[in-house]
Amino acid sequence: MAPLRFSANLSWLFPELPVLSARLRAAGSAGFEAAEVAFPYAEPAEALARAGQEAGLRLVLINTPPGDQEKGEMGLGAVPGRQAAFREGLEQAVLYAKALGCPRIHLMAGRVPLGADRAAVKAEMETVFLENLRHAAGVLAQENLVGLLEPINTRITDPRYFLDTPQQAAAILQKVGRPNLQLQMDIFHWQIMDGNLTGNIREFLPITGHVQMAQVPGRGEPDSPGELNFPYLFQLLEDEGYQGFVG
């Protein structure tokens, strides 16, 4: 069994450093060989690529742009009426991924619109998401990139997020049916929504392209106080043959 490979999630680590390029250098100095970041778009891609190379880091994951955060947007993939903006953001993400040598892009689903009832808009949002994902799969395939779907918990972190369980994400992936779209497993979110981590990890790992984790409930580092047993979870991932990165 190959040992797990870890990447530093620079959206959360080294928060005392204000710019991403400095966080890349800090991650390299701390011994990481890989890094990921949600939104790299505030800094030029070329400068970030140079900082990563100088730090000896591989960039392994970025997100599509969040949209208009002042209006409460957090991703656009499933948001009705924002299809054109999603596709523009996807193009920007692809440009950054190519410049950074980053093979994976998290295709953010986004939030249920303010004032809307989740059950009432679920079918429409899924239809929009499926259309956008099919378009994204084609764009990403041309560049040999992988798109990821990440369920985010709606109990604590983001009550309006559209995609909130691995079961929902897996069903959508099956409907899209594109091999370069995979699941992003964030064990923090999965524990909060469903628990049953051993069963869910074993069930969904075959369609998983990236793993993230943080302690529950405080979302701290694995050695911070909380309810997750990380030595067990790390061993489970190894035993199940996971070959990707753990953020």
Side-chain angles (χ1 to χ4, degrees), residues 63 65 77 116 154 161 163 184 201 235:
N63 292 5
T154 49
Y161 204 76
L163 192 70
Q184 182 170 319
I201 288 170
Q235 189 62 55

Side-chain angles (χ1 to χ4, degrees), residues 8-67:
N9 190 329
L10 301 182
S11 297
W12 293 89
L13 297 177
F14 310 107
E16 69 279 5
L17 300 173
V19 296
L20 186 53
S21 53
R23 294 186 185 191
L24 285 165
R25 287 188 283 271
S29 297
F32 285 98
E33 297 178 2
E36 58 197 77
V37 60
F39 306 121
Y41 307 107
E43 298 179 48
E46 293 74 16
L48 293 177
R50 191 162 53 248
Q53 290 166 358
E54 291 170 355
L57 286 172
R58 299 172 58 186
L59 267 290
V60 297
L61 177 68
I62 61 173
N63 292 5
T64 48

